[in-house]
Amino acid sequence: MCGIIARAGRGDAVPLVLSGLENLEYRGYDSAGVAVRNGDGIDVYKRSGEVSELSAQIRDGVASGNVGIGHTRWSTHGPPTDANAHPHTDGDGEVAVVHNGIIENHEALRERLADLGCEFTSDTDTEVVPHLFEHYLERSEDAEAAFRRTVRDLEGSYAIAAIVDGEEAVYGARQGSPLVLGVAGSEYFLASDVPAFLEHTDTVVYLEDDDVAVLRPDSVGVTDLDGGDVARDTEHVDWDPEETGKGKYSHYMLKEINVQPTSLANTIEGRIDAEDGEVSLEEFPPGAFEGVSEVQLVACGTSYHAALYGQQLLQSAGINASAYRASEYGTADVPVTERTLVIGVTQSGETADTLGAIRRATDRGARTLAVTNVVGSTAARECDDALFIRAGPEIGVAATKTFTSQAVTLALLARRLAVDVPHGDPRDDFEAVAKSLERLPDALDRMLSASDAREVGRHYLGSDAFFFIGRGRCYPVALEGALKFKEITYEHAEGFASGELKHGPLSLVTPNTPVFAVFGGDQDEKTLKNASEAQTRGADVVAVASQGHPAVDAADAHLTVPDVHPVWAGLLANVQLQLVSYHTANQLDRAIDKPRNLAKSVTVE
């Protein structure tokens, strides 16, 4: 959702806050702003638009100070205007606040504060926070105590950072939205995500709900809402700061597509023994899943498609498994017992809908497991267990490398479960599956260097719509291919189980509707028949298949997938579709890394 950065230390905070905002812009880019305590008050600079526009506005003549806060916004309450940009202040400009999340009782607080004479200048829920803070400051000589009283009055999901005139400190708190503390000697950072300050430190403390942090230029303290000291572990993030830059690539997305051989190698390193055909997950020794009778996967967006991929692998291993959209999990009367394993698949570990589903499962007695990319994330902390996909930081809003790593991690987990659970049916050919997985990064690297995706994308520019079809494990790949395409090209795209094409969607097929058919060894002859049904209606068919596949001769165009074990073929096909989406969007001059209306981590329901 939105991005928060705060800094307390010696020397000017403004350049550090601005660079932090640039690093966080994937979380929101409708508007941006900074506030700095300059020793003679608080200076606030904010505007709608991108961080670069804000930086240009304040490059000359901006006041400096040791403590500052910043925000890059993805709009929830109120449109992206200068007035709605953060930071927000009280009427006298003595308090400045940045906020991520939703204050659910903001209307009641606004009415209460208006009755006390407060005047509001924005449409946001956030503006109640500085007015409330100032209200309590007038009744207390202790700014920290006033901040605590403010936080207690808030309902909903929030991460907050605030500064106060006369106090050389940053006050932070969280409830349901991420907030992480970075420690760099006697310099301290507070942010909604680690990449905000990774170039300065990899030493972090993940704050938890109801934590209150106070950062000063020479100290930091973390307490609970009542002021009692709390102990939070200090961790080191195993991410290279260079991973958060674009390097030689024109877009983060293109970089993250092309580094998938490396991220995938990291995902599988030390986890498979191809000679013995065994999976070793140090988090889960033999017997760790003996009490499991069924598996439910909950996820959103791209992670949901990875969960569907995992569902099929679990089912083929004899395990009763179902994948649910996390936002719908609470509305369905899904049977859950203490023998149910609920797996939350979430790249960030902070997706609000997925966290909500996990919490509902926990309340009903299920065992929970987070499959996530972020050590220390809320999902990793709240679930009974965590399994990390080890894909490294992903900055592009459209997920790419994390889908591949999620799917492979779930495949390895399926093997471990099949060995443990009484009704599991481990694959007899898993030695071949494991050997093919070991070779997969190299196969992916070769495919990336020889892809024709740019030419295919150029050929179909101007089409009315784009359809993606597949069966079995290729069905979630078709869904993901369509999602990626619509996310960054803004063109109409839909994914279907190939057998469903003739049950309605075929009425939409025209000669100006290319159909991308994904072939990966799951009833490919039927998918080819379905594709030919579209072809006879005038549509071009693009076969995403290995070089010698029968679909190649029948199709109008071809995206080559290396010949690998059918378990992994869909993952390589997905990367080809990522490239088609990227090159089409680039030729349409879209904002690829920051697609309209979207944000990387959706931390509100």
Side-chain angles (χ1 to χ4, degrees):
M1 198 57 67
C2 303
I4 288 174
I5 177 68
R7 182 266 189 183
R10 300 299 174 188
D12 190 8
V14 173
L16 299 173
V17 170
L18 284 172
S19 67
L21 290 181
E22 291 170 353
N23 295 337
L24 286 174
E25 202 167 8
Y26 60 92
R27 294 183 65 96
Y29 36 85
D30 292 341
S31 58
V34 301
V36 59
R37 182 181 173 277
N38 62 21
D40 190 31
I42 295 176
D43 285 326
V44 176
Y45 303 85
K46 61 179 185 174
R47 60 168 295 160
S48 61
E50 299 186 358
V51 174
S52 59
E53 298 174 81
L54 174 71
S55 298
Q57 175 186 335
I58 66 177
R59 184 174 294 122
D60 298 322
V62 65
S64 63
N66 290 337
V67 298
I69 57 177
H71 187 269
T72 180
R73 183 172 184 248
W74 188 78
S75 304
T76 52
H77 288 81
T81 63
D82 291 355
N84 288 335
H86 298 212
H88 288 288
T89 61
D90 66 306
D92 296 327
E94 295 183 6
V95 173
V97 168
V98 293
H99 160 238
N100 180 20
I102 293 178
I103 307 299
E104 293 179 356
N105 62 333
H106 73 98
E107 290 182 354
L109 290 173
R110 183 179 285 251
E111 290 178 7
R112 170 183 154 193
L113 291 163
D115 289 342
L116 294 173
C118 295
E119 295 183 4
F120 291 85
T121 60
S122 80
D123 303 315
T124 70
D125 57 330
T126 303
E127 196 181 356
V128 301
V129 182
H131 285 291
L132 195 60
F133 195 175
E134 172 60 19
H135 170 69
Y136 286 127
L137 274 172
E138 292 175 352
R139 289 154 179 77
S140 172
E141 294 182 358
D142 186 344
E144 186 175 336
F147 182 70
R148 293 179 197 283
R149 293 186 68 182
T150 300
V151 172
R152 283 196 190 94
D153 283 357
L154 305 179
E155 297 174 7
S157 167
Y158 55 79
I160 293 170
I163 58 176
V164 180
D165 186 23
E167 297 285 336
E168 199 163 67
V170 174
Y171 302 91
R174 66 156 283 176
Q175 178 66 244
S177 289
L179 201 58
V180 59
L181 172 68
V183 181
S186 58
E187 184 175 47
Y188 305 98
F189 298 88
L190 201 61
S192 46
D193 209 350
V194 171
F197 53 70
L198 187 58
E199 62 199 88
H200 305 291
T201 181
D202 62 359
T203 303
V204 303
V205 176
Y206 292 97
L207 301 182
E208 299 187 12
D209 285 353
D210 296 329
D211 282 355
V212 174
V214 181
L215 288 62
R216 302 183 187 277
D218 54 1
S219 67
V220 65
V222 181
T223 58
D224 59 25
L225 279 177
D226 295 323
D229 291 337
V230 296
R232 297 286 176 247
D233 293 337
T234 299
E235 302 183 32
H236 291 277
V237 179
D238 188 22
W239 286 353
D240 186 337
E242 291 188 4
E243 289 187 82
T244 61
K246 285 187 286 192
K248 65 181 181 180
Y249 298 96
S250 53
H251 295 94
Y252 285 111
M253 183 180 180
L254 184 59
K255 174 189 175 182
E256 287 157 2
I257 291 172
N258 279 278
V259 301
Q260 285 180 99
T262 300
S263 61
L264 180 56
N266 291 337
T267 298
I268 64 179
E269 183 180 7
R271 289 176 165 175
I272 57 170
D273 185 336
E275 294 303 319
D276 296 334
E278 294 300 328
V279 169
S280 175
L281 301 177
E282 62 182 29
E283 300 90 344
F284 304 106
F289 297 110
E290 286 180 352
V292 173
S293 63
E294 64 173 335
V295 174
Q296 296 171 2
L297 302 104
V298 293
C300 302
T302 289
S303 295
Y304 173 69
H305 299 152
L308 284 174
Y309 203 96
Q311 169 195 285
Q312 299 214 17
L313 294 171
L314 286 160
Q315 290 173 344
S316 67
I319 297 166
N320 181 13
S322 302
Y324 298 89
R325 288 182 171 86
S327 59
E328 293 294 309
Y329 185 73
T331 66
D333 189 16
V334 182
V336 172
T337 72
E338 62 182 12
R339 295 174 64 83
T340 303
L341 175 65
V342 175
I343 302 174
V345 186
T346 163
Q347 185 280 135
S348 66
E350 304 292 350
T351 307
D353 288 323
T354 305
L355 291 175
I358 290 169
R359 289 162 184 161
R360 283 188 286 273
T362 298
D363 290 343
R364 298 175 67 184
R367 178 178 173 181
T368 56
L369 165 63
V371 172
T372 183
N373 196 33
V374 182
V375 176
S377 62
T378 302
R381 294 197 310 272
E382 291 192 3
C383 285
D384 297 313
D385 299 290
L387 183 60
F388 298 103
I389 68 172
R390 307 194 304 207
E394 186 176 67
I395 305 301
V397 169
T400 51
K401 65 177 181 175
T402 51
F403 174 87
T404 307
S405 290
Q406 285 172 335
V408 168
T409 301
L410 289 170
L412 298 176
L413 183 59
R415 173 66 177 183
R416 281 292 295 106
L417 280 158
V419 171
D420 274 3
V421 302
H423 52 282
D425 182 20
R427 300 179 63 111
D428 293 335
D429 67 340
F430 192 78
E431 182 177 339
V433 173
K435 287 181 178 178
S436 183
L437 177 57
E438 278 196 330
R439 297 191 294 268
L440 200 60
D442 288 338
L444 180 52
D445 192 40
R446 294 195 306 274
M447 187 187 77
L448 285 164
S449 64
S451 175
D452 293 325
R454 186 198 304 267
E455 290 71 26
V456 169
R458 180 182 295 113
H459 183 75
Y460 292 107
L461 279 177
S463 297
D464 292 336
F466 300 79
F467 288 173
F468 299 77
I469 63 172
R471 285 179 182 261
R473 289 180 297 271
C474 292
Y475 168 51
V477 172
L479 293 177
E480 175 60 13
L483 176 63
K484 213 55 50 196
F485 202 88
K486 68 182 73 174
E487 278 181 322
I488 64 169
T489 70
Y490 313 155
E491 300 295 308
H492 182 77
E494 296 294 340
F496 305 103
S498 58
E500 290 300 302
L501 196 63
K502 59 184 175 293
H503 294 292
L506 200 58
S507 67
L508 300 174
V509 169
T510 73
N512 208 26
T513 311
V515 176
F516 290 79
V518 184
F519 298 92
D522 287 339
Q523 302 181 60
D524 281 354
E525 69 285 353
K526 292 184 178 181
T527 296
L528 182 55
K529 182 176 183 297
N530 300 137
S532 68
E533 292 167 349
Q535 205 171 33
T536 60
R537 272 75 178 177
D540 272 14
V541 170
V542 181
V544 190
S546 59
Q547 186 62 52
H549 196 282
V552 175
D553 291 335
D556 300 282
H558 176 217
L559 289 168
T560 303
V561 172
D563 192 8
V564 297
H565 194 283
V567 167
W568 313 121
L571 301 184
L572 295 180
N574 180 66
V575 176
Q576 285 282 31
L577 296 180
Q578 290 172 355
L579 286 168
V580 170
S581 297
Y582 171 81
H583 289 300
T584 302
N586 198 35
Q587 291 164 42
L588 291 170
D589 198 27
R590 306 301 194 210
I592 292 174
D593 286 331
K594 296 177 284 188
R596 68 186 182 199
N597 303 331
L598 302 179
K600 182 66 177 173
S601 178
V602 183
T603 56
V604 295
E605 291 184 290

